Structures are given as C-alpha cells and as structure tokens.
Amino acid sequence: MAGGLGTRLSEETDLIPKPMVRIGPDPILVHIMRYYASFGHSRFLVAAGYKHKVISDFFLDFPEVWDIQVVDTGLEASTGGRIRLLEKHLEDDFMLTYGDGLGDIDLLKLEKQYSERKYLSIVTAVRPPARFGSLRIENDLVTSFNEKNPQDEGWINGGFFACNKRVINYIETLVEPFEGSPISNLVADRMLGVHQHHGWWHPMDTLRDKRQLEEIWQSGSAPWVRN
C-alpha cells in the first residue's frame, strides 16, 4: 500500500510520495520489495495514489527482474479502499504490507502459520521502537531514569499481513481504513490471526524516523538486508 499523503513527513513528501523517500540510494519501497524478494516473492502490486506517476515512472527502467504493476487507486481511497481496488489483480492468497515500514520478520514462518490455520488474515504484531526515557520523580528530584524499553509498550500492528482475498468482503467503502471496521469485524468473527515478531521493526512516520533508518543503513548492518 503506497498511496497515502505522508503528511507527518511533509519535509520529504511535498514532491514525492512517502514510499519513494530514500534510505541510502533507494526508496524505502524498494527496500521493502527486496526484502520480500529475498524470500522468493517476485510479483508486486503497488497500490499508489498520491503522486502515483512518480512511482510508475521510477519502475519504467527498474533493473530488478520482478513483475511490478503500479495501480492508481486514487487520492481519496483509504487503506481498505486501496485493497478493494486491487481485487481483480489479486490471487486468492496474498501478502500485504505498508510502504513505510521495515523489519526482519521471518516471512516463511508467517506464510507457514497462515497456511496451517483457517484465518482469513494474519497480522504481524511488533513492539514499537523505544522513543523516550522514563523518569521517576519525587518532589523536584529525579530518583530514577531508565531508557524506554520497547517490551513495556505492548503489541502494535506492524503490517506484514498474509491474507485471503475474502477479506475484501469486510471492506464496504473505498474511504474505509482497513485498520478500522474491516479488521474489527475480522476480530469479531475470529478470523484474524497473529504472528508475534520479537525481532527488529521500525516505521518511517516522521523525519526523525527517516534519519534513524538512514543512520542504520549507513552503518552497513541494516537488519532488513538479507543476502
């Protein structure tokens, strides 16, 4: 899914869509696709919207031997609507993720878990990155300072779904976020499984996130790069 406005990263997204923001030499979208490709995936549907032509033009001369189809799902569609607009292109089972998050999720385990269960979708649950240290205060004195532990934050939606095409039956309108009523109703029907990921994961919501990912890339040991 690569169609949002990326308003919280407006420093980068005035001229390009958020998935085209570069980490090192390549857009984050390419990093995500290469990660999937390292698990044997080579067919990609990109649900574009905002500045979709930037994405389409980029892939015209793309060197990787992948089957890439960029679908303009419009400016007004939400995440659920974009999935619905891909319906005629989708196979019965498909992987799904957002165009702004990276991780070292074991996609083989995710797929195996999905294939062995009867759920219509499985979502990868992750721990959010630690952002702030915690203070314990007594009167005007700090009595304890600890770096924030991501394990204290609970689980959040990290993207990286495995889905059956029937999830589209849960999406009623094009403006409906997939993370709203569709997922709530999947939960109510006991049709949403979970893959708990205990490894590394990082979103790119803000300029700070982008800079952190850039630093990780420049370190030469990016967790999302597989040989």
Side-chain angles (χ1 to χ4, degrees), residues 45-223:
L45 288 169
V46 182
Y50 174 66
K51 297 190 181 296
H52 65 91
K53 198 170 184 304
V54 175
I55 300 177
S56 298
D57 289 349
F58 176 84
F59 286 112
L60 286 177
D61 300 314
F62 193 63
E64 305 282 356
V65 186
W66 297 336
D67 177 1
I68 304 168
Q69 187 171 358
V70 179
V71 180
D72 178 13
T73 54
L75 289 174
E76 303 302 323
S78 191
T79 48
R82 297 190 196 286
I83 298 169
R84 186 169 165 178
L85 289 167
L86 291 181
E87 182 172 9
K88 67 180 181 181
H89 305 286
L90 292 170
E91 298 176 1
D92 287 344
D93 299 295
F94 61 95
M95 307 288 278
L96 171 72
T97 198
Y98 306 105
D100 62 357
L102 292 164
D104 61 355
I105 293 90
D106 188 331
L107 297 182
L108 292 179
K109 285 185 179 179
L110 173 61
E111 290 181 275
K112 184 174 185 290
Q113 185 178 353
Y114 171 73
S115 66
E116 290 176 348
R117 306 303 293 266
K118 301 298 183 183
Y119 301 126
L120 290 183
S121 180
I122 285 184
V123 59
T124 298
V126 299
R127 302 284 194 180
R131 292 187 182 273
F132 305 102
S134 59
L135 299 174
R136 181 173 296 166
I137 299 172
E138 293 179 10
N139 298 320
D140 62 351
L141 181 69
V142 175
T143 60
S144 159
F145 178 88
N146 295 298
E147 287 299 321
K148 196 70 172 176
N149 185 349
Q151 303 306 311
D152 296 335
E153 294 293 306
W155 296 97
I156 63 170
N157 168 19
F160 295 91
F161 295 82
C163 299
N164 183 277
K165 196 172 181 177
R166 285 180 290 160
V167 297
I168 294 171
N169 296 333
Y170 286 78
I171 303 167
E172 296 183 356
T173 70
L174 296 183
V175 296
E176 196 168 25
F178 185 55
E179 306 77 21
S181 295
I183 281 189
S184 293
N185 290 329
L186 282 166
V187 170
D189 289 346
R190 302 181 66 81
M191 282 289 120
L192 183 68
V194 65
H195 175 71
Q196 291 183 321
H197 176 59
H198 296 273
W200 184 88
W201 175 86
H202 207 294
M204 190 182 70
D205 289 330
T206 65
L207 185 59
R208 179 177 183 268
D209 291 330
K210 192 264 184 188
R211 288 171 175 164
Q212 287 179 329
L213 289 170
E214 182 70 30
E215 287 175 8
I216 294 169
W217 172 260
Q218 295 297 341
S219 75
S221 56

Side-chain angles (χ1 to χ4, degrees), residues 7-59:
T7 53
R8 285 182 291 178
L9 196 59
S10 58
E11 301 91 343
E12 298 272 350
T13 57
D14 281 346
L15 299 176
I16 60 172
K18 187 178 179 184
M20 297 304 290
V21 172
R22 291 179 183 266
I23 305 298
D26 298 305
I28 189 172
L29 179 59
V30 171
H31 288 276
I32 295 168
M33 293 165 77
R34 285 192 179 130
Y35 189 74
Y36 274 89
S38 73
F39 285 90
H41 296 279
S42 60
R43 179 173 180 250
F44 298 95
L45 288 169
V46 182
Y50 174 66
K51 297 190 181 296
H52 65 91
K53 198 170 184 304
V54 175
I55 300 177
S56 298
D57 289 349
F58 176 84
F59 286 112

